[in-house]
Amino acid sequence: MTIQERAEKAADFKSRGACNCCQAVARVFADTVDVSEEDLLKLSAGFAAGMGCMESTCGALVGANMILGLRTNGAGTVKQSRELLAKFREKCGAVTCKDLKGVATGKVLCECDDCVRNAVLSLGEILG
């Protein structure tokens, strides 16, 4: 499956309500890591509406970071995590759910489906 196909599948999971943002991103990479899809869904369940319920990091970005750690076996993940964050911010305009959804400004920077899509695409850029 191409990274674009993974991104569209993740956005579909989110738009249908099959997963929260974090779960949607993690789920589409289940075939690339040594963790079952079921366990990935459990691990990522608490990151709906952004970590801290919109006050903090976008759940889609958290899911991409979880997969990054699994794919790199933790080696060099911190540096790559910074790259992931920068790529995501470039695509979405922010990294916190509150800012992405325009809680303080009333201006939505990026809808959830697009955050999910962009998190997958950003991760794909890092993984190559």
Side-chain angles (χ1 to χ4, degrees), residues 28 63 74 82-83 111:
V28 298
R82 271 185 258 133
E83 293 174 40
E111 296 290 346

Side-chain angles (χ1 to χ4, degrees), residues 59-70:
L61 184 55
V62 172
N65 220 9
M66 287 177 173
I67 296 298
L68 182 61
L70 289 168

Side-chain angles (χ1 to χ4, degrees), residues 67-87:
I67 296 298
L68 182 61
L70 289 168
R71 292 283 301 269
T72 62
N73 290 316
T77 307
V78 173
K79 179 181 181 240
Q80 290 177 319
S81 178
R82 271 185 258 133
E83 293 174 40
L84 177 64
L85 187 135
K87 288 179 183 302

